[in-house]
Amino acid sequence: MEILAKGGNAFDAAVAVSAALAVVEPYSSGIGGGGFWLLHRASDGYNTMVDGREYAPAAATPGMYQDKGGNVIPGDSLNGPLSAAIPGEVAALVYINKHYGRLSLAGDLAPAIRLARDGFPLDRMFHGMLASREQKLKQWPAAWAVFYPHGRVPATGFILKQPDLAHTLELIAQQGEAGFYQGWLARQMVDAVRAAGGIWSLADLRDYRVKERQPLVGEYHGMRIISAPPPSSGGIVLLEALNILSGYDLGHDSDLMRKHLIIEAMRYAYRDRAEYLGDPDFVKMPLSRLLSPYYAAGLRAGILPDKATPSSMLAPVMDSGPESHHTTHISILDADGNRVAATFTVNFRFGSGFMPPGTGVILNDEMDDFVSKPGVPNGFGLVGNSANAIAPRKRPLSSMTPTFLENPRGLAILGTPGGGRIISMVLLGTLDYFNGGDAASIVSLPRYHMQYLPDVVFYEPGAFTPNDIIGLEKMGYRLHELAPYGNMQAITWDYKTGKVTAASDPRDIGKAEVR
Ligand code: DON
């Protein structure tokens, strides 16, 4: 709001908020991570996606997380500098500011620098994150000193200052990309990463580039869906599931039948994610086939009206706690109609946990989004194959799904954190918008999820009625209730009434505002 009031546009605001979140929510996203910024420019209707996804260091190899016997070493892709890919967020923010913003880079970064230098009162969510990650962060002295200033979890309300991070952000404000990817900061990060067992090089940082990619565009009964292309799997899985569902008359089906069909659509679309998807600069993907209505019709033919289709292999139920607090999403609409949907992350809570001393930057553990070994599930229980194998300078496959929806009634901007469950959340939100929902209902509706493997339907309390549960179990589904998950941020704009509604997921501490 401060940036918009100063004459900035939605893109400036997105840069400012992304940078500020690196300070106030470093467990979710940050300049040591990456993400996808989906943009809509109102003046000419241009849609684009700025891909600031991390890439693997040049020394990365497909088997780097396996021992001599070929077994995946648990934790190596999740903790410490070996789990960190080369960050993309700074390159993305500088790029968005330069090509789409109206204010200076220093102007867009000013609020973040202020929050880092002067500090802010620790909220209950941050407090909880620190309590849950104490053991992980204790291993890394720089991170420990910043976040546990008196050697213990600081209380709610404690004013947390991050002077090193403020200095890092100032370097970026002054020098742009070079402030982060070259010079003192780059050397500091590479030296620290290597000293602690990582494999980054100065060339990895110097060579990093954002990619501007054409968003995927699909259609569902006259509604246009604009979403993230690879290296996110989000748009493909979302559109494939919608294509499958578009052959049914969901509005007339019973509640139970509707849920059954949506779960089956998720199963098929997530299976193709595991089989085909990866970084488009490295793998050939049959995208036009996956998005073809005829392909969807073929898959639909395999869905029985009264039975769950068993996924081809059974895997153990993953132990899923609340997984919503380590990635972030923002949705922005300005008075000119410019839009941003951006999802960005350090992956798991506080990423790798590793902070190169003196930088204030928590590095990501995005390497875990690669397949450490075909068929072996990653931290989100997702499987894959060689399409998403590790390779030098390759981007790990993501599920982040920043999305715009457009129909004659108006438009919606949405997205959420949640690892592999991001796409099913956006799918349910998309169907809710199609059925007349607004931002408030999109972010609050109860969720359920199926990702092919494990062959289990996960659901939030309230997502299924007792009758649904009996009906679904009779069809052969294995159900597993989870604590509430997700942190969706949505905006809807009703063209007829002119009303803009913004809503932040009631499950978390985000805030939505319309002015
Ligand atoms: O890119 C991805 O799909 C993951 N790294 C996102 C991680 C995430 O959403 C964690 N939050 N719950």
Side-chain angles (χ1 to χ4, degrees), residues 256-339:
L256 174 63
M257 181 58 84
R258 189 163 48 239
K259 285 168 179 159
H260 163 57
L261 296 173
I262 292 172
I263 294 166
E264 289 301 303
M266 289 176 183
R267 183 200 310 274
Y268 279 103
Y270 273 93
R271 184 186 59 177
D272 285 346
R273 176 195 198 278
E275 179 151 359
Y276 298 112
L277 301 186
D279 182 346
D281 298 336
F282 284 74
V283 285
K284 266 225 180 77
M285 295 174 274
L287 297 190
S288 50
R289 170 155 68 88
L290 295 181
L291 296 179
S292 146
Y294 302 103
Y295 179 65
L299 297 179
R300 214 157 37 232
I303 298 177
L304 302 172
D306 55 352
K307 257 203 180 68
T309 317
S311 293
S312 57
M313 257 170 22
L314 290 183
V317 177
M318 68 175 156
D319 176 24
S320 301
E323 289 285 1
S324 59
H325 307 301
H326 27 86
T327 290
T328 208
H329 178 88
I330 53 176
S331 293
I332 301 179
L333 173 68
D334 71 15
D336 293 327
N338 297 311
R339 313 170 206 154

Coordinates of all heavy atoms in Angstrom, one line a residue, residues 256-339:
L256 N -21.0 -36.2 -3.5 CA -20.1 -37.3 -3.4 C -19.4 -37.6 -4.8 O -18.2 -37.8 -4.9 CB -20.8 -38.6 -2.9 CG -20.0 -39.8 -2.9 CD1 -18.8 -39.7 -1.9 CD2 -20.8 -41.0 -2.4
M257 N -20.3 -37.7 -5.8 CA -19.8 -38.0 -7.2 C -18.8 -36.9 -7.6 O -17.8 -37.2 -8.2 CB -21.0 -38.0 -8.2 CG -20.6 -38.3 -9.6 SD -19.7 -39.9 -9.7 CE -21.1 -41.0 -9.8
R258 N -19.1 -35.6 -7.3 CA -18.3 -34.5 -7.7 C -16.9 -34.7 -7.1 O -15.9 -34.5 -7.7 CB -18.9 -33.2 -7.3 CG -18.2 -32.0 -7.8 CD -19.1 -30.7 -7.7 NE -19.7 -30.5 -6.4 CZ -21.0 -30.5 -6.2 NH1 -21.8 -30.6 -7.2 NH2 -21.5 -30.3 -5.0
K259 N -16.9 -35.0 -5.8 CA -15.6 -35.2 -5.1 C -14.8 -36.4 -5.7 O -13.6 -36.3 -5.9 CB -15.8 -35.3 -3.6 CG -16.2 -34.0 -2.9 CD -16.7 -34.1 -1.5 CE -17.0 -32.7 -1.0 NZ -17.9 -32.7 0.1
H260 N -15.5 -37.4 -5.9 CA -14.9 -38.6 -6.5 C -14.2 -38.2 -7.9 O -13.0 -38.6 -8.1 CB -16.0 -39.7 -6.8 CG -15.6 -40.8 -7.7 ND1 -14.5 -41.6 -7.6 CD2 -16.2 -41.2 -8.9 CE1 -14.4 -42.5 -8.5 NE2 -15.5 -42.3 -9.4
L261 N -14.9 -37.5 -8.7 CA -14.4 -37.2 -10.0 C -13.2 -36.2 -9.9 O -12.2 -36.3 -10.6 CB -15.5 -36.5 -10.9 CG -16.6 -37.5 -11.3 CD1 -17.7 -36.8 -12.0 CD2 -16.1 -38.7 -12.1
I262 N -13.3 -35.3 -9.0 CA -12.2 -34.3 -8.8 C -10.9 -35.1 -8.3 O -9.8 -34.8 -8.7 CB -12.6 -33.2 -7.8 CG1 -13.7 -32.3 -8.5 CG2 -11.4 -32.3 -7.4 CD1 -14.3 -31.3 -7.6
I263 N -11.1 -36.0 -7.4 CA -10.0 -36.8 -6.8 C -9.3 -37.6 -8.0 O -8.1 -37.6 -8.1 CB -10.4 -37.7 -5.7 CG1 -10.9 -36.9 -4.5 CG2 -9.3 -38.6 -5.3 CD1 -11.6 -37.7 -3.4
E264 N -10.2 -38.2 -8.8 CA -9.6 -39.0 -9.9 C -8.8 -38.1 -10.9 O -7.8 -38.5 -11.4 CB -10.7 -39.8 -10.6 CG -11.3 -40.9 -9.8 CD -10.3 -42.0 -9.4 OE1 -9.6 -42.5 -10.3 OE2 -10.1 -42.2 -8.2
A265 N -9.4 -36.9 -11.1 CA -8.7 -36.0 -12.1 C -7.3 -35.6 -11.5 O -6.3 -35.5 -12.2 CB -9.6 -34.7 -12.3
M266 N -7.3 -35.4 -10.1 CA -6.0 -35.1 -9.5 C -5.1 -36.2 -9.7 O -3.9 -36.0 -10.0 CB -6.2 -34.8 -8.0 CG -6.9 -33.5 -7.6 SD -7.2 -33.5 -5.8 CE -8.1 -32.0 -5.6
R267 N -5.5 -37.5 -9.5 CA -4.7 -38.6 -9.6 C -4.0 -38.7 -10.9 O -2.8 -38.9 -11.0 CB -5.5 -39.9 -9.3 CG -4.7 -41.2 -9.3 CD -5.5 -42.4 -9.6 NE -6.7 -42.6 -8.7 CZ -6.7 -43.1 -7.5 NH1 -5.6 -43.5 -6.9 NH2 -7.8 -43.2 -6.8
Y268 N -4.8 -38.6 -12.0 CA -4.2 -38.7 -13.3 C -3.3 -37.6 -13.6 O -2.2 -37.8 -14.2 CB -5.4 -38.7 -14.4 CG -6.0 -40.1 -14.5 CD1 -7.2 -40.4 -14.0 CD2 -5.3 -41.1 -15.2 CE1 -7.8 -41.6 -14.1 CE2 -5.9 -42.4 -15.4 CZ -7.1 -42.6 -14.8 OH -7.7 -43.9 -14.9
A269 N -3.6 -36.4 -13.3 CA -2.8 -35.2 -13.6 C -1.5 -35.3 -12.8 O -0.4 -35.0 -13.4 CB -3.5 -33.9 -13.3
Y270 N -1.5 -35.7 -11.5 CA -0.3 -35.8 -10.7 C 0.6 -36.9 -11.2 O 1.8 -36.9 -11.1 CB -0.6 -36.0 -9.3 CG -0.8 -34.7 -8.5 CD1 -2.0 -34.1 -8.3 CD2 0.3 -34.0 -7.9 CE1 -2.2 -32.9 -7.6 CE2 0.1 -32.8 -7.2 CZ -1.1 -32.3 -7.0 OH -1.3 -31.2 -6.3
R271 N -0.1 -38.0 -11.8 CA 0.7 -39.1 -12.3 C 1.6 -38.6 -13.5 O 2.8 -38.9 -13.6 CB -0.1 -40.3 -12.7 CG 0.7 -41.4 -13.2 CD -0.1 -42.5 -13.8 NE -0.9 -42.1 -14.9 CZ -1.7 -42.8 -15.6 NH1 -1.8 -44.1 -15.3 NH2 -2.4 -42.3 -16.6
D272 N 1.0 -37.8 -14.3 CA 1.7 -37.3 -15.5 C 2.8 -36.4 -15.0 O 3.9 -36.3 -15.7 CB 0.8 -36.7 -16.5 CG 0.0 -37.7 -17.2 OD1 0.4 -38.9 -17.2 OD2 -1.0 -37.4 -17.9
R273 N 2.6 -35.6 -14.0 CA 3.6 -34.8 -13.4 C 4.9 -35.6 -13.1 O 6.0 -35.3 -13.5 CB 3.1 -34.2 -12.1 CG 4.1 -33.3 -11.3 CD 3.7 -33.0 -9.9 NE 4.4 -31.9 -9.3 CZ 5.6 -32.0 -8.8 NH1 6.3 -33.2 -8.8 NH2 6.2 -30.9 -8.3
A274 N 4.6 -36.8 -12.4 CA 5.7 -37.6 -12.0 C 6.5 -38.2 -13.2 O 7.7 -38.4 -13.2 CB 5.2 -38.8 -11.1
E275 N 5.7 -38.5 -14.2 CA 6.3 -39.2 -15.4 C 7.0 -38.2 -16.3 O 8.1 -38.6 -16.8 CB 5.2 -39.9 -16.1 CG 5.8 -40.7 -17.4 CD 5.0 -41.9 -17.7 OE1 4.0 -42.2 -17.0 OE2 5.4 -42.5 -18.7
Y276 N 6.5 -37.1 -16.6 CA 7.0 -36.3 -17.7 C 7.7 -35.0 -17.4 O 8.4 -34.5 -18.2 CB 5.8 -35.9 -18.7 CG 5.1 -37.1 -19.3 CD1 3.8 -37.4 -18.9 CD2 5.8 -37.9 -20.2 CE1 3.1 -38.5 -19.5 CE2 5.1 -39.0 -20.8 CZ 3.8 -39.3 -20.4 OH 3.2 -40.3 -20.9
L277 N 7.4 -34.4 -16.2 CA 7.7 -33.0 -16.1 C 9.1 -32.7 -15.5 O 9.6 -33.4 -14.6 CB 6.6 -32.2 -15.3 CG 5.2 -32.3 -16.0 CD1 4.3 -31.5 -15.2 CD2 5.3 -32.0 -17.5
G278 N 9.7 -31.6 -16.0 CA 11.0 -31.2 -15.5 C 11.3 -29.8 -16.1 O 10.4 -29.1 -16.6
D279 N 12.6 -29.4 -16.0 CA 13.0 -28.1 -16.5 C 12.9 -28.1 -18.1 O 13.6 -28.9 -18.7 CB 14.4 -27.8 -16.1 CG 15.0 -26.5 -16.5 OD1 14.3 -25.9 -17.4 OD2 16.0 -26.1 -16.0
P280 N 12.1 -27.2 -18.7 CA 12.0 -27.2 -20.1 C 13.3 -27.0 -20.9 O 13.4 -27.3 -22.1 CB 11.0 -26.1 -20.4 CG 11.1 -25.2 -19.2 CD 11.4 -26.1 -18.0
D281 N 14.3 -26.4 -20.2 CA 15.5 -26.1 -20.9 C 16.4 -27.4 -21.0 O 17.4 -27.5 -21.6 CB 16.3 -25.1 -20.2 CG 15.6 -23.7 -20.2 OD1 14.8 -23.5 -21.1 OD2 15.8 -22.9 -19.3
F282 N 15.9 -28.5 -20.3 CA 16.7 -29.7 -20.3 C 15.9 -30.9 -20.8 O 16.5 -31.9 -21.3 CB 17.1 -30.1 -18.8 CG 18.2 -29.2 -18.3 CD1 18.0 -27.9 -18.0 CD2 19.5 -29.8 -18.2 CE1 19.1 -27.1 -17.6 CE2 20.6 -29.0 -17.8 CZ 20.4 -27.6 -17.5
V283 N 14.6 -30.9 -20.7 CA 13.8 -32.1 -21.1 C 12.7 -31.8 -22.1 O 12.1 -30.7 -22.0 CB 13.2 -32.9 -19.9 CG1 14.2 -33.6 -19.1 CG2 12.4 -31.9 -19.0
K284 N 12.5 -32.7 -23.0 CA 11.4 -32.6 -23.9 C 10.2 -33.1 -23.3 O 10.2 -34.2 -22.8 CB 11.7 -33.4 -25.2 CG 12.4 -32.7 -26.3 CD 11.7 -33.1 -27.6 CE 12.3 -32.4 -28.8 NZ 13.6 -33.1 -29.2
M285 N 9.1 -32.3 -23.2 CA 7.9 -32.8 -22.6 C 6.8 -32.8 -23.6 O 6.7 -31.8 -24.4 CB 7.6 -31.8 -21.4 CG 8.6 -31.9 -20.3 SD 8.3 -30.7 -19.0 CE 9.1 -29.3 -19.7
P286 N 5.9 -33.8 -23.5 CA 4.8 -33.8 -24.4 C 3.6 -32.9 -24.0 O 2.5 -33.3 -23.8 CB 4.3 -35.3 -24.4 CG 4.7 -35.7 -23.0 CD 5.9 -34.9 -22.6
L287 N 4.0 -31.6 -23.9 CA 3.0 -30.6 -23.3 C 1.7 -30.5 -24.1 O 0.6 -30.5 -23.6 CB 3.6 -29.3 -23.1 CG 4.8 -29.2 -22.2 CD1 5.2 -27.7 -21.9 CD2 4.5 -29.9 -20.9
S288 N 1.8 -30.5 -25.5 CA 0.6 -30.4 -26.2 C -0.3 -31.6 -26.1 O -1.5 -31.5 -26.0 CB 0.9 -30.0 -27.7 OG 1.8 -30.9 -28.2
R289 N 0.3 -32.8 -25.9 CA -0.5 -33.9 -25.7 C -1.2 -33.8 -24.3 O -2.4 -34.1 -24.1 CB 0.3 -35.2 -25.8 CG -0.4 -36.4 -25.3 CD 0.1 -37.7 -25.9 NE 1.4 -38.1 -25.5 CZ 1.7 -38.8 -24.4 NH1 0.7 -39.3 -23.6 NH2 2.9 -39.1 -24.0
L290 N -0.4 -33.5 -23.3 CA -0.9 -33.5 -21.9 C -2.1 -32.5 -21.8 O -3.0 -32.7 -21.0 CB 0.2 -33.1 -20.9 CG 1.3 -34.1 -20.7 CD1 2.3 -33.6 -19.7 CD2 0.8 -35.5 -20.4
L291 N -2.0 -31.4 -22.6 CA -3.1 -30.4 -22.5 C -4.2 -30.6 -23.6 O -5.1 -29.7 -23.6 CB -2.4 -29.0 -22.7 CG -1.4 -28.7 -21.5 CD1 -0.8 -27.3 -21.8 CD2 -2.1 -28.7 -20.2
S292 N -4.1 -31.7 -24.3 CA -5.1 -31.8 -25.4 C -6.4 -32.3 -24.8 O -6.5 -33.2 -24.0 CB -4.6 -32.8 -26.4 OG -5.6 -33.6 -27.0
P293 N -7.5 -31.8 -25.3 CA -8.8 -32.3 -24.8 C -9.1 -33.8 -25.2 O -9.8 -34.5 -24.4 CB -9.9 -31.4 -25.5 CG -9.1 -30.6 -26.6 CD -7.7 -30.7 -26.2
Y294 N -8.5 -34.3 -26.2 CA -8.6 -35.7 -26.6 C -7.9 -36.6 -25.6 O -8.4 -37.7 -25.3 CB -8.2 -35.9 -28.0 CG -8.9 -35.0 -29.0 CD1 -8.3 -33.9 -29.6 CD2 -10.2 -35.3 -29.3 CE1 -9.0 -33.1 -30.4 CE2 -10.9 -34.5 -30.2 CZ -10.3 -33.4 -30.8 OH -11.0 -32.6 -31.6
Y295 N -6.7 -36.1 -25.2 CA -6.0 -36.9 -24.2 C -6.8 -36.9 -22.9 O -7.0 -38.0 -22.3 CB -4.6 -36.2 -24.0 CG -3.8 -36.9 -22.9 CD1 -3.3 -38.2 -23.1 CD2 -3.5 -36.2 -21.7 CE1 -2.5 -38.8 -22.2 CE2 -2.7 -36.8 -20.7 CZ -2.2 -38.1 -21.0 OH -1.5 -38.7 -20.0
A296 N -7.4 -35.8 -22.5 CA -8.2 -35.8 -21.3 C -9.4 -36.7 -21.5 O -9.8 -37.4 -20.5 CB -8.7 -34.4 -21.0
A297 N -10.0 -36.8 -22.7 CA -11.1 -37.6 -22.9 C -10.7 -39.1 -22.7 O -11.5 -39.9 -22.2 CB -11.7 -37.4 -24.3
G298 N -9.5 -39.4 -23.2 CA -9.0 -40.8 -23.0 C -8.9 -41.2 -21.5 O -9.2 -42.3 -21.1
L299 N -8.3 -40.2 -20.8 CA -8.2 -40.5 -19.3 C -9.5 -40.6 -18.7 O -9.8 -41.5 -17.8 CB -7.4 -39.3 -18.7 CG -6.0 -39.1 -19.2 CD1 -5.3 -38.0 -18.4 CD2 -5.1 -40.4 -18.9
R300 N -10.5 -39.8 -19.1 CA -11.8 -39.8 -18.5 C -12.4 -41.2 -18.7 O -13.2 -41.7 -17.8 CB -12.7 -38.8 -19.2 CG -13.7 -38.1 -18.3 CD -14.1 -36.7 -18.8 NE -14.2 -36.6 -20.2 CZ -13.6 -35.6 -20.9 NH1 -12.9 -34.7 -20.3 NH2 -13.8 -35.6 -22.2
A301 N -12.1 -41.8 -19.9 CA -12.7 -43.1 -20.1 C -12.3 -44.2 -19.1 O -13.0 -45.2 -18.9 CB -12.3 -43.6 -21.5
G302 N -11.2 -43.9 -18.5 CA -10.7 -44.9 -17.5 C -11.3 -44.7 -16.1 O -11.1 -45.5 -15.2
I303 N -12.0 -43.6 -15.9 CA -12.6 -43.3 -14.6 C -14.0 -43.9 -14.4 O -14.9 -43.7 -15.2 CB -12.7 -41.7 -14.4 CG1 -11.3 -41.1 -14.4 CG2 -13.4 -41.4 -13.1 CD1 -11.3 -39.6 -14.3
L304 N -14.1 -44.8 -13.4 CA -15.3 -45.5 -13.2 C -16.2 -44.6 -12.3 O -15.7 -43.9 -11.5 CB -15.1 -46.8 -12.5 CG -14.2 -47.8 -13.3 CD1 -13.8 -49.0 -12.5 CD2 -14.8 -48.2 -14.6
P305 N -17.6 -44.7 -12.5 CA -18.5 -43.8 -11.8 C -18.6 -44.2 -10.3 O -18.9 -43.4 -9.5 CB -19.8 -44.0 -12.5 CG -19.7 -45.3 -13.2 CD -18.3 -45.5 -13.6
D306 N -18.2 -45.4 -10.0 CA -18.5 -45.9 -8.6 C -17.2 -46.5 -7.9 O -17.4 -47.1 -6.9 CB -19.6 -46.9 -8.6 CG -19.2 -48.1 -9.6 OD1 -18.2 -48.0 -10.3 OD2 -19.9 -49.1 -9.6
K307 N -16.0 -46.3 -8.5 CA -14.9 -46.9 -7.9 C -13.6 -46.0 -8.0 O -13.4 -45.4 -9.0 CB -14.6 -48.2 -8.7 CG -15.0 -49.4 -8.0 CD -14.2 -50.7 -8.5 CE -14.7 -51.9 -7.7 NZ -16.0 -52.3 -8.1
A308 N -12.8 -46.1 -6.9 CA -11.5 -45.4 -7.0 C -10.6 -46.2 -7.9 O -10.7 -47.5 -7.9 CB -10.9 -45.4 -5.6
T309 N -9.8 -45.6 -8.7 CA -8.8 -46.3 -9.5 C -7.6 -46.4 -8.7 O -7.0 -45.4 -8.4 CB -8.5 -45.4 -10.8 OG1 -9.7 -44.8 -11.3 CG2 -7.8 -46.2 -11.8
P310 N -7.1 -47.7 -8.4 CA -5.9 -47.8 -7.6 C -4.7 -47.2 -8.3 O -4.5 -47.5 -9.5 CB -5.7 -49.3 -7.4 CG -6.9 -49.9 -7.9 CD -7.6 -49.0 -8.8
S311 N -3.9 -46.4 -7.7 CA -2.6 -45.9 -8.3 C -1.8 -47.2 -8.5 O -1.9 -48.1 -7.7 CB -1.9 -44.9 -7.4 OG -2.7 -43.7 -7.4
S312 N -0.9 -47.2 -9.5 CA -0.3 -48.5 -9.9 C 0.5 -49.1 -8.8 O 0.7 -50.3 -8.7 CB 0.5 -48.3 -11.1 OG 1.5 -47.3 -10.9
M313 N 1.0 -48.3 -7.9 CA 1.8 -48.9 -6.8 C 1.4 -48.3 -5.5 O 1.0 -47.1 -5.5 CB 3.3 -48.5 -7.0 CG 4.2 -49.5 -7.6 SD 5.8 -48.9 -8.1 CE 6.0 -47.4 -7.2
L314 N 1.5 -49.0 -4.4 CA 1.1 -48.4 -3.1 C 2.4 -47.9 -2.4 O 3.4 -48.6 -2.4 CB 0.4 -49.4 -2.3 CG -1.0 -49.7 -2.7 CD1 -1.7 -50.7 -1.7 CD2 -1.9 -48.4 -2.9
A315 N 2.4 -46.8 -1.9 CA 3.5 -46.3 -1.1 C 3.0 -46.0 0.3 O 1.8 -45.8 0.5 CB 4.1 -45.0 -1.7
P316 N 3.9 -46.0 1.3 CA 3.4 -45.7 2.7 C 2.8 -44.3 2.8 O 3.2 -43.4 2.1 CB 4.7 -45.9 3.5 CG 5.8 -45.8 2.5 CD 5.3 -46.2 1.2
V317 N 1.9 -44.2 3.7 CA 1.2 -42.9 3.9 C 2.3 -42.0 4.4 O 3.0 -42.3 5.3 CB 0.1 -43.0 4.9 CG1 -0.5 -41.7 5.3 CG2 -0.9 -44.0 4.5
M318 N 2.4 -40.8 3.8 CA 3.4 -39.9 4.3 C 2.9 -39.3 5.5 O 1.7 -39.1 5.7 CB 3.8 -38.8 3.2 CG 2.7 -37.9 2.9 SD 3.3 -36.6 1.8 CE 1.8 -36.1 1.1
D319 N 3.9 -39.0 6.4 CA 3.5 -38.3 7.7 C 3.4 -36.8 7.5 O 4.4 -36.1 7.5 CB 4.6 -38.7 8.7 CG 4.3 -38.0 10.0 OD1 3.1 -37.7 10.3 OD2 5.3 -37.8 10.8
S320 N 2.2 -36.4 7.3 CA 2.1 -35.0 6.9 C 1.5 -34.2 8.1 O 0.3 -34.3 8.4 CB 1.1 -34.8 5.7 OG 1.7 -35.5 4.6
G321 N 2.3 -33.3 8.6 CA 1.8 -32.4 9.6 C 1.3 -31.2 8.9 O 1.2 -31.2 7.7
P322 N 1.0 -30.1 9.6 CA 0.7 -28.9 8.9 C 1.9 -28.4 8.1 O 3.0 -28.2 8.6 CB 0.4 -27.9 10.0 CG 0.8 -28.5 11.3 CD 1.1 -29.9 11.1
E323 N 1.7 -28.2 6.8 CA 2.9 -28.0 5.9 C 2.8 -26.6 5.3 O 3.3 -26.4 4.2 CB 2.9 -29.0 4.8 CG 3.3 -30.4 5.3 CD 4.8 -30.6 5.6 OE1 5.5 -29.6 5.5 OE2 5.2 -31.6 6.0
S324 N 2.1 -25.7 5.9 CA 1.8 -24.5 5.2 C 2.7 -23.3 5.4 O 2.5 -22.3 4.8 CB 0.3 -24.1 5.5 OG 0.3 -23.8 6.9
H325 N 3.7 -23.5 6.2 CA 4.4 -22.2 6.6 C 5.8 -22.1 6.1 O 6.7 -21.6 6.7 CB 4.5 -22.2 8.1 CG 3.1 -22.3 8.7 ND1 2.1 -21.5 8.5 CD2 2.6 -23.3 9.6 CE1 1.0 -21.9 9.2 NE2 1.3 -22.9 9.8
H326 N 6.0 -22.5 4.9 CA 7.4 -22.4 4.4 C 7.5 -22.1 2.9 O 8.3 -22.6 2.2 CB 8.2 -23.6 4.8 CG 7.4 -24.8 4.9 ND1 7.1 -25.6 3.9 CD2 6.8 -25.3 6.0 CE1 6.4 -26.6 4.3 NE2 6.2 -26.4 5.6
T327 N 6.6 -21.3 2.5 CA 6.6 -20.8 1.1 C 5.6 -19.7 1.2 O 4.8 -19.6 2.2 CB 6.1 -21.9 0.1 OG1 7.1 -22.8 0.0 CG2 5.8 -21.3 -1.3
T328 N 5.5 -18.8 0.3 CA 4.6 -17.7 0.4 C 4.0 -17.3 -0.9 O 4.5 -17.7 -2.0 CB 5.4 -16.5 1.0 OG1 4.6 -15.7 1.8 CG2 6.1 -15.7 0.0
H329 N 2.8 -16.7 -0.8 CA 2.2 -16.3 -2.1 C 1.6 -14.9 -1.9 O 1.1 -14.5 -0.8 CB 1.0 -17.2 -2.5 CG 0.3 -16.7 -3.7 ND1 0.7 -17.0 -5.0 CD2 -0.7 -15.9 -3.8 CE1 0.0 -16.4 -5.8 NE2 -0.9 -15.7 -5.2
I330 N 1.7 -14.0 -2.9 CA 1.1 -12.7 -2.9 C 0.2 -12.5 -4.1 O 0.6 -13.0 -5.2 CB 2.1 -11.5 -2.7 CG1 3.2 -11.6 -3.8 CG2 2.7 -11.6 -1.3 CD1 4.1 -10.4 -3.8
S331 N -0.9 -11.9 -3.9 CA -1.8 -11.5 -5.1 C -2.0 -10.0 -5.0 O -2.3 -9.4 -3.9 CB -3.1 -12.2 -5.0 OG -3.0 -13.6 -5.1
I332 N -1.8 -9.3 -6.1 CA -1.9 -7.8 -6.2 C -2.6 -7.4 -7.4 O -2.5 -7.9 -8.5 CB -0.4 -7.2 -6.2 CG1 0.4 -7.6 -5.0 CG2 -0.5 -5.7 -6.3 CD1 1.8 -7.1 -4.9
L333 N -3.5 -6.4 -7.2 CA -4.2 -5.8 -8.3 C -4.1 -4.3 -8.1 O -4.4 -3.8 -7.0 CB -5.7 -6.2 -8.3 CG -6.7 -5.6 -9.3 CD1 -6.3 -6.0 -10.7 CD2 -8.1 -6.0 -9.0
D334 N -3.7 -3.5 -9.1 CA -3.6 -2.0 -8.8 C -4.8 -1.3 -9.6 O -5.5 -2.0 -10.3 CB -2.2 -1.5 -9.2 CG -1.9 -1.4 -10.7 OD1 -2.8 -1.6 -11.5 OD2 -0.7 -1.2 -11.0
A335 N -4.8 0.0 -9.4 CA -6.0 0.7 -9.9 C -6.0 0.8 -11.4 O -7.1 1.0 -12.0 CB -6.0 2.2 -9.4
D336 N -4.9 0.5 -12.1 CA -4.9 0.5 -13.5 C -5.2 -0.9 -14.1 O -5.4 -1.1 -15.3 CB -3.4 0.8 -14.1 CG -3.1 2.2 -13.8 OD1 -4.0 3.1 -13.8 OD2 -1.9 2.5 -13.5
G337 N -5.3 -1.9 -13.2 CA -5.7 -3.3 -13.6 C -4.5 -4.1 -13.8 O -4.6 -5.3 -14.2
N338 N -3.3 -3.6 -13.5 CA -2.1 -4.5 -13.5 C -2.2 -5.6 -12.4 O -2.8 -5.2 -11.3 CB -0.8 -3.7 -13.2 CG -0.5 -2.7 -14.3 OD1 -0.6 -3.0 -15.5 ND2 -0.3 -1.5 -13.9
R339 N -1.8 -6.8 -12.7 CA -1.9 -7.9 -11.7 C -0.6 -8.6 -11.5 O 0.2 -8.7 -12.4 CB -2.9 -8.9 -12.2 CG -4.2 -8.5 -12.8 CD -4.8 -9.8 -13.4 NE -5.7 -9.4 -14.5 CZ -6.0 -10.2 -15.5 NH1 -5.5 -11.4 -15.6 NH2 -6.8 -9.8 -16.5

